């Protein structure tokens, strides 16, 4: 067992108590959960991806449509990191909490499907997914496993098996709306939960960042585990400004084994 400073330990125990007492806990996760799995946050500064290009410009629907080669050149290293990434201990601990019913829904801003790879079942992907691609011409949807290997290894731009047009990864690019069904589901979960657990999100990207506020407005408790402060820390019941991969397994351990 990792040992923590007394203050961290008591926050872990308090968070575990809240989880144990909740009837409908909902999880909201962001990029910070997957950085220990080697996936950079392409929307934030300080990553190698940002240094080379301007994500707002290149990771946009406009670039995909007008200069697909530029888009795919930018996208390839990110796709490679996601393709090769494995869930970290926090993903596994969260999946265990979900499968046991302690967490009812997993709302994520991540597109890497690491929650699913770790075994989580009810996952709502707010920013889309790397698991499928959709044809920009005939809207045929294809499994990423058919295309991702050749794209990552040889740079082969994925093309529709029906019509030959370029396939767009089903991740939400700048300039695109969130997938409506996922967004409605996430809002419903935020409004009905009695506890929201935020993990690895700095709550800077709207509209996902507003979900904890919706939960609080309905009287839910709030726990935040993130390595940087968020706008809503002052209203949270428990705040752990720490690395999720270290803290979450400790919280789960406490929930299951006291
Ligand atoms: Zn097509």
């Amino acid at each position: 067992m990792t040992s923590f400073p007394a203050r961290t330990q008591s926050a872990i125990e308090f968070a575990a108590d809240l989880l144990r007492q909740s009837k409908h806990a909902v999880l909201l996760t962001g990029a910070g959960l997957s950085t220990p799995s080697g996936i950079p946050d392409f929307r934030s500064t300080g990553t190698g991806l940002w240094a080379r290009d301007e994500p707002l410009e290149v990771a946009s629907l406009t670039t995909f449509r007008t200069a697909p080669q530029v888009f795919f050149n930018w996208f390839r290293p990110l796709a490679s990191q996601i393709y090769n990434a494995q869930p970290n201990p926090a993903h596994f601990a969260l999946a265990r909490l979900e499968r046991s019913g302690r967490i009812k829904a997993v709302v994520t801003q991540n597109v890497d499907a690491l929650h699913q790879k770790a075994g989580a079942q009810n996952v709502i992907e707010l920013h889309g997914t790397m698991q499928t691609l959709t044809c920009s011409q005939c809207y045929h949807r294809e499994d990423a496993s058919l295309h991702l290997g050749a794209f990552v290894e040889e740079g082969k731009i994925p093309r529709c098996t029906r019509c030959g047009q370029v396939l767009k990864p089903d991740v939400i690019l700048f300039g695109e709306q969130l997938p409506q069904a996922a967004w409605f589901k996430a809002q419903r979960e935020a409004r009905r939960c009695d506890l929201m657990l935020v993990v690895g999100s700095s709550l800077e990207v709207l509209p996902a960042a507003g979900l904890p506020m919706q939960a609080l407005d309905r009287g839910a408790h709030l726990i935040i585990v993130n390595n940087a402060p968020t706008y809503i820390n002052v209203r949270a019941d428990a705040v752990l400004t720490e690395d999720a991969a270290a803290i979450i397994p400790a919280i789960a351990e406490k929930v299951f084994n006291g």
Side-chain angles (χ1 to χ4, degrees), residues 135 137-138 140 160 162-163:
C135 178
Q137 179 77 28
C138 74
H140 184 233
C160 180
R162 285 200 182 155
C163 76

Side-chain angles (χ1 to χ4, degrees), residues 47-117:
T47 69
L49 293 167
W50 180 279
R52 273 205 315 279
D53 296 293
E54 182 74 42
L56 272 168
E57 177 80 33
V58 76
S60 70
L61 195 57
T62 309
T63 302
F64 174 80
R65 283 184 180 147
T66 57
Q69 188 66 58
V70 173
F71 171 82
F72 280 106
N73 285 347
W74 169 79
F75 189 57
R76 193 172 162 195
L78 180 65
S80 170
Q81 276 153 330
I82 291 177
Y83 185 63
N84 293 308
Q86 296 304 323
N88 64 57
H91 289 105
F92 286 113
L94 291 167
R96 192 174 163 217
L97 287 165
E98 194 245 357
R99 284 199 315 273
S100 70
R102 297 285 184 184
I103 288 172
K104 302 294 186 198
V106 178
V107 181
T108 187
Q109 298 172 280
N110 300 338
V111 299
D112 50 41
L114 291 181
H115 283 298
Q116 294 93 320
K117 275 195 191 171

Side-chain angles (χ1 to χ4, degrees), residues 126-205:
L126 280 182
H127 293 164
T129 180
M130 281 285 290
Q131 292 185 298
T132 54
L133 303 97
T134 300
C135 178
S136 51
Q137 179 77 28
C138 74
Y139 299 103
H140 184 233
R141 180 169 285 181
E142 305 203 8
D143 201 303
S145 61
L146 290 172
H147 300 278
L148 222 49
F151 170 58
V152 163
E153 277 145 38
E154 301 152 35
K156 211 173 138 200
I157 289 186
R159 287 190 177 273
C160 180
T161 55
R162 285 200 182 155
C163 76
Q165 259 301 335
V166 176
L167 290 167
K168 185 193 155 295
D170 286 336
V171 297
I172 302 307
L173 303 177
F174 292 103
E176 276 192 293
Q177 298 290 320
L178 297 197
Q180 269 213 337
W183 174 238
F184 286 140
K185 264 198 224 171
Q187 283 186 295
R188 202 166 57 230
E189 291 295 345
R191 288 172 187 159
R192 72 185 292 203
C193 74
D194 60 1
L195 169 65
M196 182 169 278
L197 170 61
V198 176
V199 180
S201 176
S202 296
L203 300 175
E204 284 169 344
V205 180

